Amino acid sequence: MKKQSNLIGVNRLRLLLILLAVLLLAACNGQTPNTAPQQATDQGSPTGIPTAGLPSPTPAQTTQALATSPAPECTSPAALTPAVTEGPYFKASSPERASLIEAGVTGTQLTLTGYVLTTDCKPVAHALLDFWQANAQGEYDNTNYSLRGHQFTDEAGRYQLDTVIPGLYPGRTEHIHVKVQAPNGPVLTTQLFFPGLTDNQSDQIFDPGLLINIQDNGDKMQATFNFIITR
Ligand code: FE
């Protein structure tokens, strides 16, 4: 009888130990969700530096720069951007780039921003803009592609060109050439001009409808121009 009582005691002890083990296991599993987010944060920043304060990557910076473009001033129906002559220096197959500033390019820097819109003021996404211009000394690069480049508008129809103010060459006032085309649309060939220049008055190609709007005339000029095109 006493032996049977001892056996019951041993079985109870085993049961208690199993119960304790189960409880301990459950407690360990319960901690797992609490540690997981900590591990994820560390993986997101291998150096241990919080990612929130770091600068955004390049694509976001481009968007931020474009976002500073003023909202388009456009009243429907808007007048089409005037077309003017292409001139003798267009070269096909320019590189795709929004900045024409590179080694060897000197002069006053200009950032030109704006929209490509339809006559009913709708933005034209993925419109092609192909820019070419003279350098600060009034010379075109007809051998390579210096100061030549094409780009496409973003989803909101915005573009940004980083370049330098072109120099004068005989018979012309300062100007930047550009071709603008909506996807599968007709090509607008035109030129952009700078306000307040006396040479504008004697230039046979000059059109006041193609004057850029200068926002800041400091060391780095900032200006805007919106193209109105058909598509
Ligand atoms: Fe020209």
Side-chain angles (χ1 to χ4, degrees):
M1 191 69 186
K2 193 179 175 184
K3 194 174 178 183
Q4 193 180 3
S5 169
N6 282 346
L7 274 175
I8 291 169
V10 167
N11 283 339
R12 277 183 180 168
L13 192 63
R14 280 179 182 162
L15 202 64
L16 195 65
L17 282 171
I18 289 166
L19 198 64
L20 274 172
V22 168
L23 282 172
L24 197 65
L25 203 64
C28 285
N29 285 342
Q31 281 176 1
T32 308
N34 291 336
T35 55
Q38 185 62 46
Q39 286 168 351
T41 304
D42 290 342
Q43 283 166 5
S45 174
T47 56
I49 299 167
T51 52
L54 291 177
S56 304
T58 306
Q61 284 174 338
T62 304
T63 306
Q64 194 177 22
L66 286 170
T68 60
S69 302
E73 288 177 21
C74 185
T75 306
S76 179
L80 286 168
T81 298
V84 298
T85 183
E86 178 179 291
Y89 301 122
F90 174 70
K91 259 185 89 177
S93 309
S94 68
E96 182 176 351
R97 55 183 177 177
S99 176
L100 306 183
I101 295 169
E102 58 188 331
V105 171
T106 58
T108 303
Q109 291 189 11
L110 163 69
T111 297
L112 180 68
T113 57
Y115 291 79
V116 176
L117 306 165
T118 58
T119 51
D120 55 352
C121 300
K122 299 268 169 48
V124 182
H126 314 299
L128 167 73
L129 299 114
D130 196 349
F131 293 97
W132 74 102
Q133 65 170 86
N135 64 15
Q137 290 74 46
E139 299 158 339
Y140 285 87
D141 178 5
N142 297 313
T143 307
N144 297 305
Y145 286 92
S146 180
L147 291 167
R148 298 172 186 269
H150 74 270
Q151 59 177 286
F152 298 91
T153 54
D154 66 8
E155 293 297 328
R158 296 173 297 194
Y159 74 93
Q160 175 172 321
L161 174 71
D162 291 304
T163 186
V164 293
I165 297 176
L168 283 169
Y169 62 91
R172 293 302 318 274
T173 188
E174 280 100 328
H175 62 279
I176 295 174
H177 295 265
V178 61
K179 286 179 181 285
V180 189
Q181 182 183 25
N184 302 312
V187 178
L188 165 70
T189 301
T190 193
Q191 303 179 20
L192 300 178
F193 297 96
F194 295 78
L197 303 181
T198 52
D199 289 314
N200 288 345
Q201 306 313 314
S202 57
D203 190 298
Q204 299 298 308
I205 300 167
F206 173 77
D207 185 320
L210 295 168
L211 284 169
I212 61 171
N213 303 296
I214 295 175
Q215 310 292 309
D216 183 354
N217 208 356
D219 290 343
K220 291 184 177 182
M221 182 187 286
Q222 294 193 14
T224 63
F225 188 86
N226 297 331
F227 295 93
I228 312 292
I229 64 167
T230 51
R231 62 173 168 184

